[in-house]
Amino acid sequence: DEIEEGLSSFAPSGGRSQLETLNSGVKVLCDFYNANPASMRAAFKVLKASATGSSVMWLCLADMKELGEQEESLHRELAADIEALGSNLRVLLYGDKMKWLSDQIRKDAPKISVKEFGSQELMADELRKQLKPQDVVLLKGSRSMRMEKVWEHIKGQ
């Protein structure tokens, strides 16, 4: 009985693969608790599955931390996964390490729209101006990148 009661009241900690919906109908995958290459790729798959034919997929990504000596290559390697998502996407990046990903996307897939931002607030402002009701958004980055700030800025929309 105690176990059943505990499970019925369980709520996962915020920012771990939570699919939210804005008042406008935009779906937002809040997965900003942490990030590594494997969790990024998994989140891309969830985002793609949440999209419809008319959806623009917004990848709002921040640095992956604590990756060691391979951090540059691990950031750059995500470009191939992003390119595989298709053409109906926009990539918004925040953080010094995401400059590697930006550079790689521009080299490998120049038709994909990529923008870099100096803060979460500036990224959120761009989203607020551009989002349409059928769009889907991924918010993802290492915990220290505070991507929940983007969610706080857009969730009133």
Side-chain angles (χ1 to χ4, degrees):
D1 289 339
E2 287 179 44
I3 293 171
E4 189 174 303
E5 182 181 327
L7 287 173
S8 68
S9 63
F10 173 76
S13 61
R16 292 183 187 238
S17 300
Q18 293 175 286
L19 189 59
E20 304 282 353
T21 304
L22 298 177
N23 293 334
S24 64
V26 171
K27 292 179 183 169
V28 181
L29 180 58
C30 296
D31 197 5
F32 42 72
Y33 187 80
N34 209 349
N36 59 57
S39 70
M40 283 279 192
R41 290 180 178 100
F44 296 165
K45 288 178 183 175
V46 173
L47 187 72
K48 177 90 172 176
S50 302
T52 65
S54 60
S55 299
V56 172
M57 291 179 285
W58 293 85
L59 302 179
C60 301
L61 309 176
D63 292 352
M64 298 181 290
K65 302 281 186 134
E66 301 174 10
L67 297 178
E69 294 175 10
Q70 297 179 342
E71 68 180 354
E72 181 176 351
S73 63
L74 292 171
H75 279 83
R76 287 183 179 277
E77 289 169 4
L78 291 176
D81 299 281
I82 291 170
E83 185 176 13
L85 290 172
S87 60
N88 205 13
L89 70 144
R90 308 290 182 274
V91 181
L92 308 182
L93 303 173
Y94 166 61
D96 293 336
K97 297 174 190 324
M98 279 295 156
K99 291 179 182 174
W100 294 319
L101 177 57
S102 177
D103 177 62
Q104 199 65 47
I105 291 170
R106 287 187 171 107
K107 285 179 184 174
D108 296 348
K111 292 183 180 180
I112 294 177
S113 172
V114 180
K115 290 187 179 181
E116 297 174 41
F117 296 88
S119 73
Q120 305 92 331
E121 292 83 5
L122 291 172
M123 181 185 281
D125 288 344
E126 178 76 10
L127 272 175
R128 288 176 70 96
K129 288 186 240 176
Q130 303 281 340
L131 287 175
K132 304 282 187 277
Q134 68 278 7
D135 292 351
V136 293
V137 177
L138 169 62
L139 302 177
K140 184 111 178 108
S142 281
R143 184 74 203 104
S144 63
M145 297 305 292
R146 308 280 318 266
M147 289 299 282
E148 70 273 10
K149 288 183 176 184
V150 177
W151 172 239
E152 292 300 322
H153 278 71
I154 67 168
K155 72 178 178 181
Q157 188 175 16

